[in-house]
Amino acid sequence: MLPVLTIVGLGPGSPDQLTPQALAALRGEAPVFLRTAIHPVVPALADLGVRFESFDHLYERCERFEQVYEGIVAELLQALAVHRAAVYAVPGHPLVAEATVQALLAGRERYRVVLVPGLSYIDAAMTALGLDPSGGLQLLDALKLPTSLNPRQPLLISQVYSPQVASEVKLQLLEIYPEDHPVQLLHHLGTGEEAVARLPLVELDRQAKIDHLSSLFVPALSDLPPESYALTRAVSDLVEVIRRLRDPVGGCPWDLEQTPRTLCRYIIEEAYETVDAIESDDAEDICEELGDLLLQVVLQAQIFSESGEFTLAEVAGGITSKLIRRHPHVFGDAQAPTAEDVRVNWEAIKAQEKPAPATLSAKLEKLARQMPALDAAAEISKKVVKIGFEWPDAPAVWVKLEEELAELRHAIAHESSERQAEELGDVLFTLINVARWQKIDAEAALRETNRRFLARFALVEQLADRDLASYSIDELEALWQKAKRRLYQPSSVVEPHTP
């Protein structure tokens, strides 16, 4: 015959709420084990003649709750093997927020389980709040609060047992709810000493009465539009996936090796790929690349949050505050009827918030570090022109270009590779100034040249009847010219291969 494990619910706190079935099980012959003796009903058990042992020693010895729960199950099963029958009593209802009970139910092919229900904290909470949960209620554990929440339904959060836990819960809720969102902190439910404190969410962790019998009710955000919930859910899911990838236990080895610096190259790559997608006008591609770019933002924030520097919520909150400050014509009383007025206001507010470097050279050095070299050269040229550092006319720019080309030729013929690189840089810098004089976007022009080259090269590959490496330079030139002519013809029909 299988051993018998009777799991009893002690209710939320009052001895009066113990069911006759629970009392009979507790007063029976089998040894009684309490998950914790820190429960209001426990002092009354001695008066009722119930002898018991508790697992509080595991709470004191173990560092994590998972270790506590594993220890409880292991010790309980040892006792069951010896006595062939045992009673395990837990607060509330055995099937509500009891990780040890779920673990025990998973192994019941080795023993028979008898469940004795008890009044749960949910019943006591609904009674204290005067609410009917049939309209929808999310039941959550403060120690395992998911990142994905539905703010359109109320939350009932158990195990808010300390100010520290309350603070962690508050910070996560503030990623979705406003600071003044009204919440209700529930104390000592079902004990006859119930108390309900109504307060704004931001003050949650400032309450003196928080203890092991505290829980939290968070009303729904009734004015939240469905699309806002969909956005909140999607971002929360992304944050949770990245947190799992970075989890030292069961996470991804590659993600765990990354640092903010090792990921810098991917930020740049994804930014360029996003620009390419936008210029292609392919909405599906743009959506995918924006996702890849968002991944880099969230991953950086996750890494910094692990070291306590800042969180994604602080990143989002910071940029939101900045946008509001720098758009007083939208969120305040300022006037800015034109885009140029907006730019002037933005720069003035920015200068007040973050003073620019003392000298122009210091400002330009920072700019050169932060931008790709081609874009930085263009911006540097624009900035120095404003203080008169400029050629007198366009012909003078061409003269300078010829001078730099001559110096490059000389360096290639007679000087070191370092000097050749310097002179090549001078030529490129001067060419960018030619583009500025002609009002040409050098970056866009080079991208277009790359596109044209690759289009011609792809046609060369189509026209070739063998491996390109086997062609002579003259044959390749002939194919190139043929491809070039073909691209400018209205017909896209490819001529037969030339033998």
Side-chain angles (χ1 to χ4, degrees):
M1 181 179 293
L2 291 175
V4 178
L5 176 63
T6 302
I7 304 178
V8 174
L10 296 175
S14 173
D16 296 336
Q17 294 169 345
L18 283 171
T19 66
Q21 188 181 3
L23 281 172
L26 293 168
R27 286 172 164 174
E29 297 297 324
V32 175
F33 299 87
L34 306 184
R35 177 168 67 77
T36 176
I38 306 175
H39 187 270
V41 80
V42 172
L45 294 182
D47 297 336
L48 295 170
V50 177
R51 300 177 62 185
F52 58 83
E53 297 179 36
S54 83
F55 293 112
D56 287 329
H57 61 280
L58 293 174
Y59 285 91
E60 297 171 1
R61 188 174 70 201
C62 299
E63 294 182 357
R64 295 183 295 110
F65 282 105
E66 291 81 359
Q67 296 172 324
V68 173
Y69 301 151
E70 290 170 2
I72 289 174
V73 171
E75 292 190 17
L76 192 56
L77 292 181
Q78 288 177 1
L80 186 61
V82 172
H83 300 285
R84 307 297 294 173
V87 175
Y88 178 48
V90 298
H93 192 291
L95 296 180
V96 177
E98 282 293 339
T100 54
V101 173
Q102 295 303 317
L104 290 165
L105 291 175
R108 55 184 164 181
E109 71 278 356
R110 293 171 290 153
Y111 44 83
R112 188 163 65 90
V113 175
V114 176
L115 285 174
V116 178
L119 190 67
S120 75
Y121 85 98
I122 304 171
D123 303 298
M126 294 301 98
T127 301
L129 295 167
L131 293 177
D132 178 0
S134 61
L137 179 67
Q138 297 175 85
L139 305 176
L140 303 172
D141 185 336
L143 303 180
K144 297 183 293 185
L145 202 61
T147 56
S148 181
L149 301 173
N150 179 0
R152 295 176 65 80
Q153 283 190 338
L155 316 178
L156 182 59
I157 305 175
S158 64
Q159 300 209 69
V160 187
Y161 67 81
S162 70
Q164 180 181 355
V165 172
S167 178
E168 293 170 357
V169 169
K170 180 186 82 170
L171 290 175
Q172 187 165 337
L173 293 179
L174 285 175
E175 295 182 14
I176 303 174
Y177 300 85
E179 290 187 354
D180 60 352
H181 187 65
V183 300
Q184 290 163 278
L185 192 58
L186 312 174
H187 301 286
H188 296 231
L189 295 172
T191 66
E193 300 176 356
E194 295 89 349
V196 178
R198 294 171 173 79
L199 62 150
L201 175 59
V202 72
E203 295 182 9
L204 174 60
D205 53 351
R206 303 170 191 169
Q207 307 305 302
K209 291 185 177 180
I210 294 177
D211 60 22
H212 65 287
L213 294 178
S214 297
S215 54
L216 179 69
F217 178 73
V218 182
L221 276 175
S222 57
D223 58 348
L224 189 71
E227 60 271 20
S228 295
Y229 166 59
L231 174 62
T232 300
R233 180 69 178 265
V235 173
S236 295
D237 287 348
L238 174 60
V239 171
E240 177 61 17
V241 166
I242 292 176
R243 186 199 66 76
R244 282 282 291 110
L245 292 174
R246 290 279 304 176
D247 192 334
V249 180
C252 170
W254 185 90
D255 288 276
L256 286 167
E257 286 182 356
Q258 303 312 306
T259 68
R261 287 183 179 271
T262 63
L263 291 169
C264 284
R265 56 173 289 194
Y266 300 107
I267 296 176
I268 296 170
E269 287 178 9
E270 298 301 349
Y272 274 112
E273 290 176 10
T274 302
V275 170
D276 177 65
I278 292 171
E279 292 181 345
S280 73
D281 291 323
D282 185 331
E284 184 176 350
D285 196 21
I286 295 169
C287 181
E288 180 180 349
E289 295 301 338
L290 285 172
D292 291 343
L293 189 58
L294 177 60
L295 163 63
Q296 295 304 316
V297 175
V298 178
L299 184 52
Q300 288 280 351
Q302 172 62 29
I303 294 173
F304 280 103
S305 72
E306 292 165 3
S307 60
E309 301 286 340
F310 57 80
T311 66
L312 181 63
E314 291 174 277
V315 173
I319 187 60
T320 300
S321 298
K322 180 189 291 186
L323 288 171
I324 293 172
R325 289 195 311 270
R326 295 189 184 179
H327 288 82
H329 55 289
V330 176
F331 302 101
D333 299 327
Q335 299 296 315
T338 69
E340 178 60 20
D341 293 331
V342 173
R343 188 193 65 78
V344 171
N345 285 349
W346 179 283
E347 293 296 337
I349 297 169
K350 180 179 178 181
Q352 294 174 359
E353 295 175 351
K354 186 182 295 185
T359 63
L360 179 58
S361 61
K363 181 177 181 179
L364 297 180
E365 284 176 7
K366 182 179 180 182
L367 182 149
R369 292 195 307 269
Q370 295 176 337
M371 298 180 67
L374 190 63
D375 289 336
E379 285 300 311
I380 289 170
S381 298
K382 292 177 185 177
K383 300 294 185 184
V384 297
V385 162
K386 292 181 180 180
I387 62 167
F389 208 77
E390 175 69 296
W391 285 279
D393 50 37
V397 186
W398 286 104
V399 170
K400 182 62 176 176
L401 178 60
E402 292 296 337
E403 175 189 322
E404 297 296 351
L405 283 169
E407 292 177 2
L408 174 60
R409 294 189 190 97
H410 182 272
I412 291 173
H414 305 288
E415 300 186 60
S416 66
S417 59
E418 289 80 4
R419 284 285 300 126
Q420 294 170 24
E422 290 177 7
E423 294 300 339
L424 177 61
D426 290 346
V427 170
L428 294 173
F429 190 85
T430 307
L431 268 175
I432 289 169
N433 277 280
V434 171
R436 179 174 56 80
W437 270 85
Q438 299 304 127
K439 295 181 172 54
I440 296 171
D441 184 331
E443 174 71 24
L446 186 56
R447 280 204 304 272
E448 177 60 20
T449 294
N450 290 340
R451 187 197 64 76
R452 288 200 311 273
F453 176 88
L454 293 174
R456 293 174 190 172
F457 189 79
L459 191 50
V460 165
E461 290 180 317
Q462 293 179 39
L463 293 170
D465 58 1
R466 62 183 190 274
D467 184 28
L468 287 178
S470 67
Y471 280 74
S472 68
I473 186 64
D474 290 336
E475 290 173 322
L476 288 173
E477 175 62 22
L479 282 178
W480 179 262
Q481 293 301 327
K482 191 173 184 179
K484 186 175 179 180
R485 290 193 301 272
R486 185 65 49 77
L487 286 173
Y488 287 106
Q489 289 176 357
S491 173
S492 60
V493 178
V494 178
E495 298 176 3
H497 293 315
T498 302

